[in-house]
């Protein structure tokens, strides 16, 4: 079973499982990551890479300057679909792997990756999805 299979099997349970396994600390970590990202003062649009169900992307939308576009991107369509269902029209996701993004260089003022760094490996110095 590869990583894609794992994430395609768990979208409805992903968020609650994270909350349980981290004793709720994932919410505080995410909040701290969003605060740190926004302290950069970067202008939009923002990309939330390996977004999963879009929890970080939604937090960015809530806290970013009004009108800032936040795009969640992930290789798992079921995870993205779960995020859209949970967050209604707040997010417009893009299905794409970290190593095959459909955006030109310099498209974003800010890129976040919160919990997925553990799932990325380096090829020639660049991050790539597993």
């Amino acid at each position: 079973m590869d990583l894609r299979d794992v994430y395609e099997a768990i979208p409805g349970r992903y968020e609650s499982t994270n909350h349980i396994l981290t004793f709720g600390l994932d919410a505080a970590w995410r909040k701290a990551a969003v605060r740190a990202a926004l302290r950069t003062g970067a202008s939009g649009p923002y990309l939330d890479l390996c977004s999963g169900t879009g929890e970080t992307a939604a937090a960015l939308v809530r806290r970013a300057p009004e009108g800032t576009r936040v795009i969640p991107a992930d290789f798992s369509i079921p995870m993205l679909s779960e995020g859209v269902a949970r967050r209604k029209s707040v997010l417009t996701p893009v299905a794409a792997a970290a190593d095959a993004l459909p955006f030109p260089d310099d498209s974003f003022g800010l890129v976040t990756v919160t919990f997925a760094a553990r799932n990325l490996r380096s090829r020639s110095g660049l991050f790539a999805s597993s």
Side-chain angles (χ1 to χ4, degrees), residues 5 21 27 40 63 69 81 84 96 99 114 123 128:
D5 295 331
L21 292 176
T40 67
R63 292 177 178 84
R69 187 166 177 221
S81 296
V84 168
D99 61 348
T114 43
R123 276 193 260 170

Side-chain angles (χ1 to χ4, degrees), residues 4-106:
R4 188 178 306 262
D5 295 331
V6 170
Y7 286 106
E8 290 186 0
I10 64 167
R13 300 183 310 274
Y14 178 77
E15 291 180 19
S16 59
T17 300
N18 272 346
H19 301 326
I20 291 167
L21 292 176
T22 65
F23 301 102
L25 292 173
D26 64 308
W29 297 333
R30 186 174 293 100
K31 190 179 212 180
V34 167
R35 277 196 310 266
L38 294 177
R39 273 196 304 270
T40 67
S43 61
Y46 300 162
L47 174 66
D48 184 40
L49 188 59
C50 305
S51 192
T53 58
E55 284 183 284
T56 299
L60 281 167
V61 167
R62 288 191 301 275
R63 292 177 178 84
E66 188 173 335
T68 301
R69 187 166 177 221
V70 178
I71 299 171
D74 198 279
F75 67 33
S76 173
I77 293 172
M79 291 286 280
L80 292 171
S81 296
E82 180 70 21
V84 168
R86 287 176 182 255
R87 290 169 184 85
K88 306 302 177 216
S89 64
V90 173
L91 303 173
T92 304
V94 171
D99 61 348
L101 295 173
F103 310 108
D105 290 349
D106 300 320

